[in-house]
Amino acid sequence: MYTEGVADLSEMILLLPLCPPDQKNAKLTLIRERTTNRYLPAFEKVLKSHGQDYLVGNKLSKADIHLVELLYYVEELDPSLLANFPLLKGLKTRVSNLPAVKKFLQPGSQRKPPGTEKTLEQARRIFKF
């Protein structure tokens, strides 16, 4: 359930660069609204309800990793969107400080940079945006 919620918002964010320019502002507004009023409050509520460090039980799960990845996407889009979610920021910090994750997040790691205009244009043609 948690990973499906993460996937829903991630898809909205990841497809944003591919949308036609005349639709971009409307989609960005929708993403901001859903981020702050639907998705992040739900995840924050889960962490608050059981008072533990992770979403499922008190151990790291795939859902936590996916959620932290989403939080990075959200932060890249607009850092202010995380302002009212202290438990999610704490989760992001905890997971980001795990040795393997910390190494992965270092400059020069495997994490891919945002697409260039050329790669975005190729994606638009392939996905018919």
Side-chain angles (χ1 to χ4, degrees):
M1 178 177 79
Y2 299 136
T3 56
E4 288 301 316
V6 167
D8 289 345
L9 184 55
S10 293
E11 182 177 333
M12 293 174 68
I13 293 171
L14 293 174
L15 291 177
L16 182 64
L18 301 177
C19 78
D22 62 325
Q23 297 175 17
K24 193 168 188 169
N25 283 339
K27 289 197 184 272
L28 189 54
T29 299
L30 178 65
I31 290 169
R32 285 186 172 123
E33 187 276 324
R34 295 243 174 109
T35 297
T36 56
N37 296 324
R38 182 178 187 180
Y39 292 102
L40 296 190
F43 292 120
E44 183 85 359
K45 182 179 178 181
V46 170
L47 291 172
K48 186 175 185 176
S49 71
H50 59 55
Q52 297 178 341
D53 288 340
Y54 300 104
L55 289 173
V56 182
N58 201 25
K59 64 180 186 173
L60 183 67
S61 70
K62 182 178 176 181
D64 297 300
I65 298 294
H66 286 293
L67 178 55
V68 169
E69 181 181 28
L70 172 64
L71 295 176
Y72 275 102
Y73 294 154
V74 168
E75 190 174 59
E76 289 170 359
L77 184 69
D78 181 349
S80 71
L81 296 175
L82 294 176
N84 295 320
F85 303 100
L87 298 177
L88 291 176
K89 289 193 291 187
L91 174 68
K92 180 177 170 273
T93 299
R94 263 190 308 286
V95 172
S96 297
N97 283 324
L98 295 170
V101 176
K102 192 172 189 170
K103 181 179 177 185
F104 178 76
L105 293 172
Q106 294 301 308
S109 74
Q110 299 171 354
R111 191 165 187 259
K112 294 182 180 180
T116 64
E117 193 54 44
K118 181 180 178 183
T119 59
L120 290 174
E121 188 54 42
Q122 289 172 331
R124 285 185 192 105
R125 281 196 312 274
I126 292 168
F127 296 110
K128 303 201 185 327
F129 276 88

